[in-house]
Amino acid sequence: MGQVIVFDTSVLYGLNRGSPKFDVLRALKHSGAHQAGIPWMVQEELVAQQVLEYRTAHERASNAAAALRRKTPWAIRAFVPARDEERVKDHWRNQYQEVLTVLDTSGEAAKLALAREAYCEKPAKVDSKAKSGARDVAIWLSVIDYLKANPEQTVFFVSDNTHDFGDGTAYLSPMAEDLGDTQSRLKQLTSFEEFVSQFTQTIDADTEHVKELLISVIGDSPTPIEMTAESVLTDGRFNGTKIDDATFESFRWQTWLLPPTAVVWNLSEASGHKIGEQEWYTATVDWLLVGIASPVVSAQALIQDISVVQAACVWRTTILFSSEGDQMPAIVDFQNPSALDLSKRAELQPLIDKAMASPNPRAIALGMAFVALFDAIGKVNGRINDASSGEAGMDQPGAV
């Protein structure tokens, strides 16, 4: 019999990619041990929380910009972009759906929820002078519908709203009638911490130990990290450092020509959970990326102006991985890369040497071919330019 964990809004407020709760849910999903979900109404309540905070922040920023314009004696460009709440809604829905399955709330359930609020029936508020709770009813009925549609599964409903939903020891009418013979398959947990203690085991996440584990499970080049770096860091304007001829010079680049070599530099903010028999870790990792990059060039650049560069940069990511070798590490979030800090050259040089000494064989072979090709193109164009200059000189008066 399968087990599904369904969360109420009350235990997920503030959920975002940077929160410990998100780390636990991400590890749970990748483990495949259990399915975690939220009713559609819970998703919308969580999204609404973020949208309302965004709306307030936007109004404050707009008022501040207007006040600055009024108080500045000369014309200034102080403005705030137009408010885009639909984009904010899409962002947060996508983020929650990374780790949680959304349970449908049917039209019938929505209508019944409104009716129960009107009649003051549980789990809506029973105070006829302060009618509310239709959303709680919609959440409850979504759980009931899921139970009835999946007779082989046990549902663990996680909510600290015991005033309306109860604590699972007994159910008032009409909630008891809603459950019927499915009651034995509904278990209630009254906090996120209770869910964590029942389904996971927090494990020690010493950063050096986690770093050693990560290095041991990365695998041979091209690694998943290197392939991801090539695919997501493309057609941009990124900061990097030229390392040709042992020089360190900052420059702007736009794409990797081939997967770069990735070496772990720093690891921090590690957390670990044991789910089933597997250990899962989440950490912030700074990678040193070394490879062949194409510099940013103007749209008017001639082909002889286009080149490739041996480049290095630091790439900060959030990574999820298992101590078991059969699960490849996954990048779940990342920032734009940054140029190397020249004050840390002594610390970074051994890592650069390591990357240069054992890169992806395919990458270095093709990289050398690219360098040779661009060099040849430059020489050919140089000869053409020289020849053109010579012909132009012969046409000048007095030319011998």
Side-chain angles (χ1 to χ4, degrees), residues 231-290:
S231 64
V232 301
L233 302 179
T234 185
D235 296 330
R237 291 179 175 271
F238 307 119
N239 293 317
T241 302
K242 294 180 182 179
I243 57 173
D244 290 327
D245 302 321
T247 60
F248 273 48
E249 178 186 346
S250 296
F251 80 116
R252 300 272 277 174
W253 60 279
Q254 59 185 357
T255 194
W256 296 110
L257 297 185
L258 297 158
T261 300
V263 179
V264 177
W265 179 27
N266 286 326
L267 185 146
S268 60
E269 299 177 350
S271 64
H273 296 86
K274 187 173 183 179
I275 302 174
E277 296 303 316
Q278 284 190 321
E279 294 181 358
W280 289 87
Y281 296 91
T282 301
T284 297
V285 181
D286 291 331
W287 302 89
L288 178 70
L289 301 181
V290 177

Short mmCIF file of all heavy atoms in Angstrom, two decimals, residues 231-290:
data_model
loop_
_atom_site.label_atom_id
_atom_site.label_comp_id
_atom_site.label_asym_id
_atom_site.label_seq_id
_atom_site.Cartn_x
_atom_site.Cartn_y
_atom_site.Cartn_z
N SER A 231 24.87 23.58 -20.79
CA SER A 231 23.53 23.79 -21.34
C SER A 231 22.86 25.06 -20.82
O SER A 231 22.10 25.71 -21.54
CB SER A 231 22.64 22.58 -21.04
OG SER A 231 22.44 22.42 -19.65
N VAL A 232 23.12 25.43 -19.55
CA VAL A 232 22.41 26.58 -18.98
C VAL A 232 23.21 27.88 -19.07
O VAL A 232 22.63 28.97 -19.04
CB VAL A 232 22.00 26.33 -17.51
CG1 VAL A 232 21.10 25.11 -17.41
CG2 VAL A 232 23.20 26.19 -16.58
N LEU A 233 24.53 27.77 -19.18
CA LEU A 233 25.36 28.98 -19.29
C LEU A 233 25.68 29.22 -20.76
O LEU A 233 26.76 28.93 -21.26
CB LEU A 233 26.65 28.83 -18.47
CG LEU A 233 26.45 28.54 -16.98
CD1 LEU A 233 27.79 28.39 -16.28
CD2 LEU A 233 25.63 29.65 -16.32
N THR A 234 24.71 29.73 -21.48
CA THR A 234 24.86 29.92 -22.91
C THR A 234 24.11 31.17 -23.35
O THR A 234 23.11 31.57 -22.74
CB THR A 234 24.32 28.70 -23.68
OG1 THR A 234 24.57 28.86 -25.07
CG2 THR A 234 22.83 28.51 -23.47
N ASP A 235 24.62 31.82 -24.38
CA ASP A 235 24.00 33.02 -24.95
C ASP A 235 23.75 34.09 -23.90
O ASP A 235 22.69 34.72 -23.87
CB ASP A 235 22.68 32.66 -25.66
CG ASP A 235 22.90 31.75 -26.85
OD1 ASP A 235 23.97 31.85 -27.45
OD2 ASP A 235 22.01 30.93 -27.14
N GLY A 236 24.72 34.29 -23.02
CA GLY A 236 24.58 35.30 -21.98
C GLY A 236 25.73 36.29 -22.01
O GLY A 236 26.50 36.36 -22.97
N ARG A 237 25.83 37.06 -20.95
CA ARG A 237 26.95 37.99 -20.77
C ARG A 237 27.50 37.73 -19.37
O ARG A 237 27.06 38.34 -18.40
CB ARG A 237 26.49 39.44 -20.94
CG ARG A 237 26.12 39.77 -22.38
CD ARG A 237 25.64 41.21 -22.52
NE ARG A 237 25.42 41.54 -23.93
CZ ARG A 237 26.34 42.02 -24.75
NH1 ARG A 237 27.55 42.27 -24.29
NH2 ARG A 237 26.05 42.30 -26.00
N PHE A 238 28.42 36.78 -19.30
CA PHE A 238 28.92 36.29 -18.03
C PHE A 238 30.32 36.84 -17.74
O PHE A 238 31.10 37.12 -18.66
CB PHE A 238 28.97 34.77 -18.03
CG PHE A 238 27.67 34.12 -18.42
CD1 PHE A 238 27.59 33.30 -19.55
CD2 PHE A 238 26.53 34.31 -17.67
CE1 PHE A 238 26.40 32.70 -19.92
CE2 PHE A 238 25.33 33.70 -18.02
CZ PHE A 238 25.26 32.90 -19.14
N ASN A 239 30.62 36.97 -16.45
CA ASN A 239 31.96 37.39 -16.04
C ASN A 239 32.87 36.18 -15.90
O ASN A 239 32.47 35.15 -15.35
CB ASN A 239 31.89 38.14 -14.71
CG ASN A 239 31.15 39.46 -14.83
OD1 ASN A 239 31.35 40.19 -15.79
ND2 ASN A 239 30.28 39.75 -13.88
N GLY A 240 34.09 36.32 -16.40
CA GLY A 240 35.05 35.23 -16.31
C GLY A 240 36.47 35.77 -16.28
O GLY A 240 36.69 36.99 -16.25
N THR A 241 37.42 34.85 -16.29
CA THR A 241 38.83 35.22 -16.24
C THR A 241 39.60 34.46 -17.31
O THR A 241 39.49 33.23 -17.39
CB THR A 241 39.43 34.91 -14.85
OG1 THR A 241 38.68 35.60 -13.86
CG2 THR A 241 40.89 35.32 -14.79
N LYS A 242 40.35 35.18 -18.14
CA LYS A 242 41.22 34.53 -19.12
C LYS A 242 42.41 33.91 -18.38
O LYS A 242 43.03 34.56 -17.54
CB LYS A 242 41.74 35.54 -20.14
CG LYS A 242 40.67 36.14 -21.04
CD LYS A 242 41.31 37.12 -22.02
CE LYS A 242 40.27 37.78 -22.90
NZ LYS A 242 40.90 38.75 -23.84
N ILE A 243 42.70 32.68 -18.71
CA ILE A 243 43.85 32.02 -18.06
C ILE A 243 44.85 31.54 -19.10
O ILE A 243 45.70 30.69 -18.81
CB ILE A 243 43.39 30.87 -17.16
CG1 ILE A 243 42.56 29.83 -17.95
CG2 ILE A 243 42.60 31.38 -15.97
CD1 ILE A 243 42.23 28.58 -17.15
N ASP A 244 44.76 32.06 -20.32
CA ASP A 244 45.76 31.72 -21.34
C ASP A 244 47.14 32.20 -20.90
O ASP A 244 47.29 33.30 -20.36
CB ASP A 244 45.40 32.40 -22.67
CG ASP A 244 44.16 31.79 -23.29
OD1 ASP A 244 43.95 30.58 -23.12
OD2 ASP A 244 43.38 32.54 -23.91
N ASP A 245 48.15 31.39 -21.15
CA ASP A 245 49.54 31.76 -20.87
C ASP A 245 49.74 32.19 -19.41
O ASP A 245 50.54 33.09 -19.11
CB ASP A 245 49.99 32.90 -21.79
CG ASP A 245 49.87 32.52 -23.26
OD1 ASP A 245 50.16 31.35 -23.58
OD2 ASP A 245 49.46 33.37 -24.06
N ALA A 246 48.96 31.56 -18.51
CA ALA A 246 49.09 31.81 -17.07
C ALA A 246 48.76 33.25 -16.69
O ALA A 246 49.14 33.72 -15.61
CB ALA A 246 50.48 31.45 -16.57
N THR A 247 48.06 33.99 -17.56
CA THR A 247 47.65 35.35 -17.21
C THR A 247 46.25 35.31 -16.62
O THR A 247 45.44 34.45 -16.97
CB THR A 247 47.66 36.26 -18.44
OG1 THR A 247 46.75 35.72 -19.42
CG2 THR A 247 49.05 36.34 -19.04
N PHE A 248 45.97 36.24 -15.74
CA PHE A 248 44.64 36.36 -15.15
C PHE A 248 44.08 37.72 -15.56
O PHE A 248 44.51 38.75 -15.07
CB PHE A 248 44.72 36.28 -13.62
CG PHE A 248 44.66 34.88 -13.08
CD1 PHE A 248 45.47 33.90 -13.61
CD2 PHE A 248 43.81 34.55 -12.04
CE1 PHE A 248 45.44 32.60 -13.12
CE2 PHE A 248 43.77 33.26 -11.53
CZ PHE A 248 44.59 32.28 -12.08
N GLU A 249 43.12 37.68 -16.49
CA GLU A 249 42.54 38.91 -16.99
C GLU A 249 41.03 38.75 -17.09
O GLU A 249 40.53 37.82 -17.72
CB GLU A 249 43.12 39.24 -18.38
CG GLU A 249 42.54 40.50 -18.99
CD GLU A 249 43.03 40.71 -20.42
OE1 GLU A 249 44.01 40.04 -20.82
OE2 GLU A 249 42.42 41.53 -21.12
N SER A 250 40.27 39.64 -16.44
CA SER A 250 38.82 39.56 -16.47
C SER A 250 38.28 39.90 -17.85
O SER A 250 38.84 40.74 -18.56
CB SER A 250 38.22 40.52 -15.43
OG SER A 250 38.59 40.14 -14.12
N PHE A 251 37.20 39.23 -18.23
CA PHE A 251 36.56 39.51 -19.52
C PHE A 251 35.12 39.02 -19.46
O PHE A 251 34.70 38.38 -18.50
CB PHE A 251 37.33 38.84 -20.67
CG PHE A 251 37.04 37.37 -20.84
CD1 PHE A 251 36.44 36.89 -22.00
CD2 PHE A 251 37.35 36.44 -19.84
CE1 PHE A 251 36.17 35.54 -22.16
CE2 PHE A 251 37.09 35.09 -20.00
CZ PHE A 251 36.51 34.64 -21.17
N ARG A 252 34.37 39.37 -20.49
CA ARG A 252 32.97 38.95 -20.59
C ARG A 252 32.85 37.88 -21.65
O ARG A 252 33.37 38.03 -22.76
CB ARG A 252 32.09 40.14 -20.95
CG ARG A 252 32.14 41.28 -19.95
CD ARG A 252 31.13 41.11 -18.85
NE ARG A 252 29.83 41.60 -19.26
CZ ARG A 252 28.71 41.48 -18.54
NH1 ARG A 252 28.77 40.84 -17.40
NH2 ARG A 252 27.57 41.96 -18.96
N TRP A 253 32.15 36.79 -21.30
CA TRP A 253 31.98 35.71 -22.27
C TRP A 253 30.51 35.37 -22.40
O TRP A 253 29.68 35.72 -21.55
CB TRP A 253 32.81 34.49 -21.86
CG TRP A 253 32.47 33.92 -20.51
CD1 TRP A 253 32.89 34.36 -19.29
CD2 TRP A 253 31.62 32.79 -20.26
NE1 TRP A 253 32.38 33.58 -18.29
CE2 TRP A 253 31.60 32.61 -18.85
CE3 TRP A 253 30.90 31.91 -21.06
CZ2 TRP A 253 30.86 31.59 -18.23
CZ3 TRP A 253 30.17 30.90 -20.47
CH2 TRP A 253 30.16 30.75 -19.07
N GLN A 254 30.18 34.64 -23.50
CA GLN A 254 28.77 34.40 -23.77
C GLN A 254 28.37 32.93 -23.80
O GLN A 254 27.21 32.60 -23.58
CB GLN A 254 28.37 35.04 -25.09
CG GLN A 254 29.15 34.55 -26.31
CD GLN A 254 28.78 35.33 -27.55
OE1 GLN A 254 27.92 36.20 -27.52
NE2 GLN A 254 29.44 35.02 -28.66
N THR A 255 29.30 32.03 -24.05
CA THR A 255 28.91 30.62 -24.11
C THR A 255 30.13 29.73 -24.02
O THR A 255 31.25 30.14 -24.36
CB THR A 255 28.13 30.32 -25.42
OG1 THR A 255 27.49 29.06 -25.32
CG2 THR A 255 29.05 30.33 -26.62
N TRP A 256 29.93 28.51 -23.52
CA TRP A 256 30.97 27.48 -23.60
C TRP A 256 30.89 26.81 -24.96
O TRP A 256 29.78 26.50 -25.44
CB TRP A 256 30.77 26.40 -22.52
CG TRP A 256 30.90 26.88 -21.11
CD1 TRP A 256 29.90 27.00 -20.20
CD2 TRP A 256 32.10 27.29 -20.43
NE1 TRP A 256 30.38 27.46 -19.00
CE2 TRP A 256 31.74 27.65 -19.12
CE3 TRP A 256 33.43 27.39 -20.82
CZ2 TRP A 256 32.66 28.09 -18.17
CZ3 TRP A 256 34.35 27.84 -19.89
CH2 TRP A 256 33.98 28.18 -18.58
N LEU A 257 32.01 26.58 -25.58
CA LEU A 257 31.99 25.86 -26.85
C LEU A 257 31.83 24.37 -26.62
O LEU A 257 31.33 23.64 -27.49
CB LEU A 257 33.28 26.13 -27.63
CG LEU A 257 33.49 27.59 -28.05
CD1 LEU A 257 34.73 27.70 -28.91
CD2 LEU A 257 32.28 28.12 -28.79
N LEU A 258 32.25 23.90 -25.44
CA LEU A 258 32.18 22.49 -25.06
C LEU A 258 31.96 22.44 -23.55
O LEU A 258 32.17 23.44 -22.85
CB LEU A 258 33.47 21.76 -25.43
CG LEU A 258 33.80 21.71 -26.92
CD1 LEU A 258 35.29 21.47 -27.12
CD2 LEU A 258 32.99 20.62 -27.60
N PRO A 259 31.55 21.30 -23.01
CA PRO A 259 31.38 21.23 -21.56
C PRO A 259 32.67 21.58 -20.83
O PRO A 259 33.73 21.03 -21.13
CB PRO A 259 30.99 19.77 -21.31
CG PRO A 259 30.39 19.30 -22.60
CD PRO A 259 31.16 20.03 -23.67
N PRO A 260 32.62 22.53 -19.88
CA PRO A 260 33.83 22.88 -19.13
C PRO A 260 34.15 21.79 -18.11
O PRO A 260 33.30 20.96 -17.78
CB PRO A 260 33.42 24.18 -18.43
CG PRO A 260 31.95 24.02 -18.21
CD PRO A 260 31.44 23.28 -19.44
N THR A 261 35.36 21.79 -17.61
CA THR A 261 35.73 20.91 -16.50
C THR A 261 35.32 21.59 -15.20
O THR A 261 35.60 22.78 -15.01
CB THR A 261 37.23 20.62 -16.50
OG1 THR A 261 37.59 20.00 -17.74
CG2 THR A 261 37.61 19.70 -15.35
N ALA A 262 34.66 20.85 -14.31
CA ALA A 262 34.17 21.40 -13.05
C ALA A 262 34.91 20.77 -11.88
O ALA A 262 35.01 19.54 -11.78
CB ALA A 262 32.67 21.17 -12.91
N VAL A 263 35.44 21.63 -11.00
CA VAL A 263 36.14 21.18 -9.80
C VAL A 263 35.49 21.83 -8.59
O VAL A 263 35.21 23.03 -8.60
CB VAL A 263 37.64 21.56 -9.86
CG1 VAL A 263 38.35 21.11 -8.59
CG2 VAL A 263 38.29 20.95 -11.09
N VAL A 264 35.23 21.04 -7.54
CA VAL A 264 34.64 21.59 -6.32
C VAL A 264 35.65 22.52 -5.65
O VAL A 264 36.79 22.13 -5.40
CB VAL A 264 34.24 20.47 -5.34
CG1 VAL A 264 33.69 21.08 -4.05
CG2 VAL A 264 33.21 19.55 -5.97
N TRP A 265 35.21 23.75 -5.34
CA TRP A 265 36.07 24.68 -4.61
C TRP A 265 35.59 24.79 -3.16
O TRP A 265 36.23 24.30 -2.25
CB TRP A 265 36.06 26.06 -5.29
CG TRP A 265 36.90 27.09 -4.57
CD1 TRP A 265 37.98 26.85 -3.78
CD2 TRP A 265 36.72 28.50 -4.60
NE1 TRP A 265 38.50 28.03 -3.29
CE2 TRP A 265 37.74 29.06 -3.78
CE3 TRP A 265 35.82 29.36 -5.22
CZ2 TRP A 265 37.87 30.44 -3.58
CZ3 TRP A 265 35.96 30.73 -5.02
CH2 TRP A 265 36.96 31.25 -4.22
N ASN A 266 34.41 25.37 -2.96
CA ASN A 266 33.87 25.52 -1.61
C ASN A 266 32.52 24.84 -1.49
O ASN A 266 31.77 24.76 -2.47
CB ASN A 266 33.71 27.00 -1.24
CG ASN A 266 35.03 27.68 -0.97
OD1 ASN A 266 35.95 27.04 -0.44
ND2 ASN A 266 35.14 28.95 -1.31
N LEU A 267 32.20 24.37 -0.29
CA LEU A 267 30.89 23.78 0.00
C LEU A 267 30.44 24.32 1.35
O LEU A 267 31.21 24.35 2.32
CB LEU A 267 30.97 22.25 0.02
CG LEU A 267 29.64 21.49 0.19
CD1 LEU A 267 29.67 20.18 -0.60
CD2 LEU A 267 29.35 21.19 1.66
N SER A 268 29.17 24.76 1.41
CA SER A 268 28.63 25.33 2.65
C SER A 268 27.14 25.03 2.75
O SER A 268 26.54 24.47 1.82
CB SER A 268 28.88 26.84 2.68
OG SER A 268 28.23 27.48 1.58
N GLU A 269 26.55 25.41 3.88
CA GLU A 269 25.11 25.28 4.11
C GLU A 269 24.61 23.88 3.80
O GLU A 269 23.58 23.69 3.13
CB GLU A 269 24.34 26.32 3.28
CG GLU A 269 24.71 27.75 3.62
CD GLU A 269 24.00 28.77 2.74
OE1 GLU A 269 23.38 28.37 1.74
OE2 GLU A 269 24.07 29.96 3.06
N ALA A 270 25.33 22.89 4.29
CA ALA A 270 24.96 21.49 4.01
C ALA A 270 23.91 21.01 5.00
O ALA A 270 23.92 21.36 6.18
CB ALA A 270 26.20 20.60 4.11
N SER A 271 22.98 20.21 4.50
CA SER A 271 21.99 19.54 5.34
C SER A 271 21.80 18.12 4.82
O SER A 271 22.00 17.87 3.62
CB SER A 271 20.65 20.29 5.35
OG SER A 271 20.08 20.31 4.04
N GLY A 272 21.44 17.20 5.69
CA GLY A 272 21.31 15.81 5.28
C GLY A 272 20.10 15.14 5.91
O GLY A 272 19.74 15.44 7.05
N HIS A 273 19.47 14.25 5.14
CA HIS A 273 18.32 13.50 5.63
C HIS A 273 18.40 12.08 5.09
O HIS A 273 18.73 11.85 3.92
CB HIS A 273 17.00 14.14 5.19
CG HIS A 273 16.78 15.50 5.76
ND1 HIS A 273 17.27 16.63 5.16
CD2 HIS A 273 16.15 15.90 6.90
CE1 HIS A 273 16.94 17.69 5.90
NE2 HIS A 273 16.27 17.26 6.94
N LYS A 274 18.09 11.14 5.96
CA LYS A 274 18.01 9.75 5.54
C LYS A 274 16.55 9.42 5.27
O LYS A 274 15.70 9.56 6.15
CB LYS A 274 18.57 8.83 6.63
CG LYS A 274 18.68 7.37 6.18
CD LYS A 274 19.39 6.52 7.22
CE LYS A 274 19.55 5.08 6.71
NZ LYS A 274 20.27 4.25 7.70
N ILE A 275 16.27 8.98 4.05
CA ILE A 275 14.91 8.63 3.64
C ILE A 275 14.95 7.20 3.15
O ILE A 275 15.62 6.89 2.16
CB ILE A 275 14.40 9.57 2.53
CG1 ILE A 275 14.45 11.02 3.02
CG2 ILE A 275 12.99 9.20 2.12
CD1 ILE A 275 14.11 12.04 1.95
N GLY A 276 14.26 6.32 3.87
CA GLY A 276 14.39 4.90 3.57
C GLY A 276 15.80 4.46 3.92
O GLY A 276 16.29 4.70 5.02
N GLU A 277 16.48 3.87 2.97
CA GLU A 277 17.86 3.43 3.20
C GLU A 277 18.90 4.36 2.58
O GLU A 277 20.08 4.09 2.64
CB GLU A 277 18.04 2.01 2.62
CG GLU A 277 17.18 0.96 3.31
CD GLU A 277 17.46 0.89 4.81
OE1 GLU A 277 18.63 0.91 5.20
OE2 GLU A 277 16.49 0.83 5.58
N GLN A 278 18.43 5.47 1.98
CA GLN A 278 19.35 6.38 1.30
C GLN A 278 19.59 7.66 2.09
O GLN A 278 18.67 8.17 2.75
CB GLN A 278 18.82 6.74 -0.09
CG GLN A 278 18.97 5.63 -1.13
CD GLN A 278 18.66 6.13 -2.52
OE1 GLN A 278 17.74 6.92 -2.70
NE2 GLN A 278 19.43 5.70 -3.50
N GLU A 279 20.80 8.17 1.99
CA GLU A 279 21.14 9.45 2.58
C GLU A 279 21.15 10.51 1.47
O GLU A 279 21.78 10.33 0.43
CB GLU A 279 22.52 9.40 3.25
CG GLU A 279 22.58 8.48 4.46
CD GLU A 279 23.96 8.48 5.10
OE1 GLU A 279 24.86 9.15 4.57
OE2 GLU A 279 24.12 7.79 6.12
N TRP A 280 20.45 11.62 1.73
CA TRP A 280 20.35 12.70 0.75
C TRP A 280 20.91 13.98 1.35
O TRP A 280 20.63 14.32 2.51
CB TRP A 280 18.90 12.92 0.33
CG TRP A 280 18.39 11.80 -0.53
CD1 TRP A 280 17.82 10.63 -0.11
CD2 TRP A 280 18.43 11.73 -1.95
NE1 TRP A 280 17.50 9.84 -1.18
CE2 TRP A 280 17.86 10.49 -2.32
CE3 TRP A 280 18.87 12.59 -2.95
CZ2 TRP A 280 17.73 10.10 -3.64
CZ3 TRP A 280 18.74 12.21 -4.27
CH2 TRP A 280 18.18 10.98 -4.61
N TYR A 281 21.68 14.70 0.56
CA TYR A 281 22.32 15.92 1.03
C TYR A 281 21.99 17.08 0.09
O TYR A 281 21.93 16.91 -1.13
CB TYR A 281 23.84 15.75 1.09
CG TYR A 281 24.29 14.71 2.10
CD1 TYR A 281 24.46 13.38 1.71
CD2 TYR A 281 24.52 15.06 3.42
CE1 TYR A 281 24.87 12.41 2.63
CE2 TYR A 281 24.92 14.09 4.35
CZ TYR A 281 25.09 12.78 3.94
OH TYR A 281 25.49 11.83 4.85
N THR A 282 21.81 18.23 0.70
CA THR A 282 21.66 19.48 -0.05
C THR A 282 22.75 20.43 0.43
O THR A 282 23.02 20.52 1.63
CB THR A 282 20.28 20.12 0.20
OG1 THR A 282 19.26 19.20 -0.19
CG2 THR A 282 20.13 21.40 -0.61
N ALA A 283 23.39 21.14 -0.49
CA ALA A 283 24.47 22.04 -0.11
C ALA A 283 24.64 23.13 -1.16
O ALA A 283 24.24 22.98 -2.32
CB ALA A 283 25.78 21.27 0.06
N THR A 284 25.22 24.24 -0.72
CA THR A 284 25.64 25.28 -1.64
C THR A 284 27.08 24.97 -2.05
O THR A 284 27.95 24.80 -1.18
CB THR A 284 25.57 26.66 -0.97
OG1 THR A 284 24.21 26.95 -0.62
CG2 THR A 284 26.09 27.75 -1.90
N VAL A 285 27.31 24.88 -3.35
CA VAL A 285 28.63 24.49 -3.86
C VAL A 285 29.14 25.55 -4.83
O VAL A 285 28.43 25.94 -5.76
CB VAL A 285 28.58 23.12 -4.56
CG1 VAL A 285 29.98 22.73 -5.05
CG2 VAL A 285 28.04 22.05 -3.61
N ASP A 286 30.36 26.00 -4.59
CA ASP A 286 31.06 26.87 -5.55
C ASP A 286 31.98 26.00 -6.39
O ASP A 286 32.91 25.37 -5.87
CB ASP A 286 31.89 27.92 -4.81
CG ASP A 286 31.02 28.95 -4.12
OD1 ASP A 286 29.91 29.20 -4.59
OD2 ASP A 286 31.46 29.49 -3.07
N TRP A 287 31.71 25.96 -7.69
CA TRP A 287 32.51 25.17 -8.62
C TRP A 287 33.49 26.10 -9.35
O TRP A 287 33.14 27.22 -9.71
CB TRP A 287 31.63 24.51 -9.67
CG TRP A 287 30.58 23.61 -9.13
CD1 TRP A 287 29.31 23.97 -8.75
CD2 TRP A 287 30.69 22.21 -8.89
NE1 TRP A 287 28.63 22.87 -8.30
CE2 TRP A 287 29.44 21.78 -8.36
CE3 TRP A 287 31.70 21.28 -9.06
CZ2 TRP A 287 29.19 20.45 -8.03
CZ3 TRP A 287 31.46 19.95 -8.72
CH2 TRP A 287 30.22 19.56 -8.21
N LEU A 288 34.68 25.60 -9.58
CA LEU A 288 35.60 26.26 -10.50
C LEU A 288 35.41 25.61 -11.85
O LEU A 288 35.62 24.40 -12.02
CB LEU A 288 37.05 26.09 -10.03
CG LEU A 288 38.09 26.71 -10.96
CD1 LEU A 288 38.01 28.23 -10.91
CD2 LEU A 288 39.49 26.23 -10.60
N LEU A 289 34.95 26.41 -12.83
CA LEU A 289 34.74 25.91 -14.19
C LEU A 289 35.89 26.38 -15.07
O LEU A 289 36.25 27.57 -15.07
CB LEU A 289 33.42 26.44 -14.76
CG LEU A 289 32.14 26.11 -14.00
CD1 LEU A 289 30.93 26.70 -14.74
CD2 LEU A 289 31.97 24.60 -13.81
N VAL A 290 36.48 25.45 -15.82
CA VAL A 290 37.59 25.76 -16.72
C VAL A 290 37.28 25.16 -18.08
O VAL A 290 36.96 23.97 -18.18
CB VAL A 290 38.93 25.20 -16.19
CG1 VAL A 290 40.05 25.46 -17.18
CG2 VAL A 290 39.27 25.80 -14.83
#
